[in-house]
Amino acid sequence: MKRLEDYVVSIPDFPEPGVMFRDVTSILQDAEGLHMAIDQLLLMLDGVDFDVVVGPESRGFIFGMPVAYAKNRAFVPIRKKGKLPRETVSATYDLEYGTATIEMHKDAIRPGQKVAIVDDLIATGGTTEAIIKMIEELGGEVVKICFVMELAGLKGREKLAGYDVDSAIIYEGK
């Protein structure tokens, strides 16, 4: 039987020399790989008491929606600045060459709600750290953070210290 990591295509020297790019779209292209990824995310949430799944644009939508559906929970999208039509909260975080801002609707999380974050990848942890900031600003409690893949060499998990973080695949490098 194949393992989830068998569905990941690794591309050397992309987007720049020395980087080993782990392509999550190769998981999506295979029905068995996609099924396995969703099943592993669902297992991470077994026994976790949560009210809502939050997923960032765009691959957090892909993996978070089926998890929310299977667990009969609501789904809250996190979008790039300027994409949501109602009043929002936002958080800005650092990128390698600049900053980015993400938003969520101000009424998306109610005080006291327990939140599971689902995304495809944790690298430096900046996006997830910004998501946590918005959830907590609205009075929500992050009870679990689930990733399909983790690039442990970028130490993103360190930014999420104190939170329950799980990854289906952990790559030791960058």
Side-chain angles (χ1 to χ4, degrees):
M1 183 174 174
K2 290 176 88 170
R3 301 170 309 143
L4 183 58
E5 43 267 61
D6 295 334
Y7 294 95
V8 177
V9 174
S10 297
I11 299 114
D13 299 319
F14 182 82
E16 59 187 49
V19 173
M20 180 63 73
F21 187 83
R22 310 294 183 172
D23 187 9
V24 74
T25 64
S26 55
I27 293 173
L28 303 174
Q29 289 173 229
D30 188 289
E32 185 177 292
L34 176 59
H35 198 262
M36 192 178 293
I38 299 303
D39 283 352
Q40 288 190 30
L41 291 166
L42 291 169
L43 281 172
M44 291 176 202
L45 290 164
D46 273 357
V48 177
D49 179 25
F50 67 100
D51 304 303
V52 63
V53 173
V54 167
E57 184 175 335
S58 65
R59 291 175 302 263
F61 293 7
I62 294 169
F63 291 104
M65 279 295 299
V67 168
Y69 177 83
K71 294 288 189 177
N72 197 30
R73 300 297 193 275
F75 179 80
V76 173
I78 304 293
R79 299 290 316 264
K80 294 175 184 169
K81 185 177 175 69
K83 300 290 186 182
L84 293 171
R86 300 190 320 267
E87 188 176 2
T88 62
V89 293
S90 65
T92 299
Y93 59 100
D94 292 327
L95 299 170
E96 189 174 355
Y97 302 105
T99 61
T101 301
I102 54 176
E103 297 179 322
M104 65 191 288
H105 282 128
K106 193 171 187 175
D107 62 355
I109 303 294
R110 293 185 307 277
Q113 278 192 311
K114 295 177 182 174
V115 179
I117 299 171
V118 174
D119 202 0
D120 70 319
L121 175 75
I122 178 172
T124 64
T127 304
T128 306
E129 186 179 45
I131 292 167
I132 291 167
K133 178 181 170 186
M134 291 188 298
I135 291 167
E136 292 178 347
E137 179 182 330
L138 294 175
E141 175 190 0
V142 176
V143 295
K144 184 76 176 189
I145 306 171
C146 306
F147 300 101
V148 176
M149 297 187 295
E150 178 175 348
L151 304 178
L154 295 175
K155 303 185 185 311
R157 195 178 280 250
E158 291 177 9
K159 285 187 179 169
L160 310 180
Y163 294 94
D164 185 359
V165 177
D166 207 351
S167 301
I169 304 168
I170 298 175
Y171 293 105
E172 293 306 320
K174 298 177 181 181

